[in-house]
Amino acid sequence: MQWPKLLNSILKNTLSKSIQYGTEVLHQRIPYSHDNPYLEGIFAPQRQEHFFTDLRVEGQIPAELDGALMRIGPNPITVKNPRNYHWFTGDGMLHALRLKGGKAHWYKSSYIGSASVQKKLHRPQIPGKSRGVADAVNTNVINFAGKIWALVEAGAYPVELNAALESKRHHLFENGQDLPFTAHPHIDPETGDIHAVCYDALTQNKVFYLQIDSEGKLKHQVEIPVKHGPMIHDCAITKSQVLILDLNVNFSVRSLLKGSMLPYQWNPKRQARIGVLPFGGKVADLRWYEIDPCFIFHTVNAYDLNTGDVVMDAVIHSKALVNSIQGPIEAQDIRLERFIFEQGTGKVNRTVLSGIKQEFPRINDAYTGRPYRYVYSISFGEFDDPVHISSNRLLSHDLETGNSESYSFGANWVAGEVIFISREGSQAENEGWLMSYIHALDGSPSRVVILDAQHMTEGPIATIYLPVRVPVGFHCNWIDYRELRTHYS
Ligand SMILES: [Fe+2]
């Protein structure tokens, strides 16, 4: 390693350790309170990992599915003071339901082996260096370059897992670079390249755009200058460009002093903007479009128009992370919107596609970056706080006709993120299945449901009854075991 690089690395490490220490001292002064809804009810963490076979199934699991439905989320092993525990910071736990040959083979839950998790569980550290201020890896799980990766934003490296859900190493895929990653990269269905907009919690003046090839090797990187350390949870890609979301939640010293373990807060004073950068481009090629204050956790999709204009659909929050230092559920308007960025005029046209409060939008991933028709999401009910959560509905939007359909599992059930799995050899965009973990408000064990995407309102074609409760969490993906380079039954 060269001296300037080494010095930089030592400085960063020292700064990171000082902030961790300072924050710990600060947090010890916060009065103790048991009161945290994100540790109770459907959020309550499981006390141990589980493995079960012989699962009860109702209906018919599609025989061609050979993989696992993986869902990741926070599951803190210990919480020093619930009063300032933030849901986004809990130790990561992965839940997987293995399906093959029309049968449910097993359900397993497993902690993501980040350094602090291994320490708390008295397990040996996994290879690779832990990175970032906080090392919980709890937000997304993907199959990329033939391997399973657990992801988080704000600095920590992805954690590679094998098909038995064992954590193998911390690494930026197949690269040695000291760079942050994100929980929401987007894979180009044609090239297999992964595109990501990433930030480090400690760096307030720049974010990174990374393009990594289908073998996991870094192909292109751009340092993008920003102000105030914005939280950037997601990005979007078209066939030729990446969209960068520089919006109204940013690093906040005030929030840190309030004792927040996630010191990011709503800031209506900063100019919200969305950048459009051509693949392979430099900072000079980046074009910013200014928009009214808002926050976007999740984009739906984006695509180029022949005119040079760019379309981006996203779930828009009128505001986010305003008051609570425990989690994101508070009073706000949420809607599905279409943005058209006009290359000629620099204007942004916005239209509401659906006014229903909803989140976790998903599509048929083969249409990423391309014109598309169907969006699947879950409604958020009318609750504005995590104590009064009620049941929700699966939503399916047809953007061509403007019609939306919904399905409820009943008053006791909250559906987590729903994903779309394409049927092999399918012709139509919506020919395939929807899958989701559903969670009982009365604390009963959770279920996995499979629905025919073209007949969602008819309800599940298969329900798999899990023997335990799966806490409500973050993202879900279908990991096709035939695409993995490690074998597991
Ligand atoms: Fe997310």
Side-chain angles (χ1 to χ4, degrees), residues 23 26 72 170 193 197 214 282 296 315 377 385 389 426 489:
T23 311
L26 195 72
I72 197 169
H170 309 273
D193 286 1
V197 176
S214 58
K282 301 188 180 86
I296 297 171
V315 172
S377 64
D385 68 73
I389 282 187
S426 63
S489 60

Side-chain angles (χ1 to χ4, degrees), residues 139 183-184 233 297-298 360 475:
T139 315
H184 285 289
H233 185 68
F297 282 105
H298 303 116
F360 297 100
H475 293 287

Side-chain angles (χ1 to χ4, degrees), residues 214-255:
S214 58
E215 292 299 310
K217 291 278 184 198
L218 185 64
K219 198 167 167 180
H220 184 60
Q221 90 178 69
V222 183
E223 264 186 40
I224 300 167
V226 293
K227 287 178 183 166
H228 318 123
M231 173 186 272
I232 301 182
H233 185 68
D234 198 355
C235 67
I237 58 168
T238 71
K239 207 172 176 175
S240 66
Q241 310 184 83
V242 60
L243 283 82
I244 298 129
L245 311 175
D246 184 11
L247 306 171
N248 295 88
V249 171
N250 62 265
F251 181 77
S252 159
V253 175
R254 209 173 67 174
S255 172

